[in-house]
Amino acid sequence: QVHLVESGGGLVQAGGSLTLSCEASGTIFSRDDLGWYRQRPENERELVAQISSHYTNYADSVKGRFTISRDNAKDTVYLQMTGLKPEDTGVYYCLVREVTRGGPLDFWGQGTQVTVSS
């Protein structure tokens, strides 16, 4: 059973920084595709950043400000957020996607709140 534990959310002023962490267990982490999503108030969940063994990808709204990284030795994926804006406020979820012969299996973290004050 895959289990994800997120941490690092909080309240920050505009222009500030936060780093989110998501530690996984119960999966072969080094083989997984990973991502961070967010759900802003009155919006659907959206992709923020993703990372696999051979690429990274970012939403246009966060390019140049956010950095996704992974530490396979710690089974942890990170999201470094700088230059935060009030519109970055939302609940952030990590995703672990196991790539299997039967297709991808997605597992979600519990979510962590990020609030950016103006």
Side-chain angles (χ1 to χ4, degrees):
Q1 185 73 13
V2 176
H3 185 58
L4 306 177
V5 178
E6 298 183 32
S7 61
L11 173 64
V12 65
Q13 289 188 332
S17 301
L18 284 174
T19 296
L20 306 183
S21 301
C22 175
E23 183 176 2
S25 59
T27 183
I28 304 176
F29 188 79
S30 61
R31 297 182 183 178
D32 297 334
D33 294 340
L34 311 170
W36 286 96
Y37 287 70
R38 68 185 178 191
Q39 188 158 11
R40 295 182 286 179
E42 301 180 5
N43 283 271
E44 294 184 352
R45 193 173 296 188
E46 60 182 354
L47 173 69
V48 175
Q50 56 188 172
I51 185 169
S52 73
S53 60
H54 55 278
Y55 74 89
T56 57
N57 183 47
Y58 297 90
D60 288 342
S61 60
V62 306
K63 282 181 181 177
R65 299 188 298 123
F66 292 10
T67 302
I68 189 171
S69 62
R70 63 192 297 164
D71 186 337
N72 290 338
K74 296 182 178 179
D75 291 348
T76 301
V77 58
Y78 303 94
L79 185 68
Q80 295 176 278
M81 305 184 292
T82 63
L84 283 162
K85 305 175 181 180
E87 52 263 43
D88 293 318
T89 294
V91 180
Y92 284 68
Y93 299 89
C94 66
L95 167 72
V96 169
R97 174 167 291 163
E98 293 187 334
V99 180
T100 74
R101 289 184 177 182
L105 293 176
D106 290 349
F107 300 91
W108 293 92
Q110 81 278 12
T112 185
Q113 177 71 45
V114 172
T115 303
V116 184
S117 63
S118 57

